[in-house]
Amino acid sequence: ANAPVGAPYFFESEEYLMVRARVTIERLIDDAKGKNICIVSHTPCAQAMAFYLEGATSLAESKIGPWPLGGITTFSRSLENGDSGKWELDVYADCSHMPGEYK
């Protein structure tokens, strides 16, 4: 692949998608400088970013499973009082905002 690390490369492997998501989320977090951010993305990228934030070392260890279309997932972390800044999964794949059959 001649694409720079973190740049889209089509057709990309799942492994490369994970690299691209990691690079992207790290850049977004750095650029946010502690402010809140909202990421709206298609499912594979959003799920890959969530795996990175979750910090699980394997899919088997992960709390993240099948990802519904339109589900909302949130992470938070505290950087106050010397906290480590570890990301916590607050809400996963919440579809309560969607009408009936789409939940």
Side-chain angles (χ1 to χ4, degrees), residues 5-76:
V5 172
Y9 181 75
F10 301 101
F11 295 96
E12 71 183 349
S13 66
E14 186 174 294
E15 179 183 15
Y16 193 78
L17 168 64
M18 298 299 280
V19 169
R20 183 165 61 92
R22 176 186 51 79
V23 169
T24 300
I25 194 70
E26 286 174 350
R27 287 180 182 169
L28 290 170
I29 292 167
D30 287 346
D31 288 348
K33 298 184 183 350
K35 294 182 181 175
N36 292 335
I37 59 174
C38 174
I39 298 169
V40 179
S41 181
H42 69 317
T43 301
C45 290
Q47 191 169 25
M49 287 185 238
F51 279 128
Y52 171 75
L53 292 175
E54 181 188 34
T57 58
S58 70
L59 293 178
E61 183 184 299
S62 175
K63 296 176 187 167
I64 297 172
W67 200 282
L69 299 179
I72 295 173
T73 298
T74 63
F75 285 84
S76 64

Side-chain angles (χ1 to χ4, degrees), residues 58-100:
S58 70
L59 293 178
E61 183 184 299
S62 175
K63 296 176 187 167
I64 297 172
W67 200 282
L69 299 179
I72 295 173
T73 298
T74 63
F75 285 84
S76 64
R77 69 178 178 171
S78 174
L79 299 176
E80 296 178 6
N81 302 321
D83 289 340
S84 67
K86 182 180 181 305
W87 290 98
E88 298 293 329
L89 178 59
D90 300 320
V91 176
Y92 170 67
D94 178 22
C95 293
S96 63
H97 64 286
M98 298 179 74

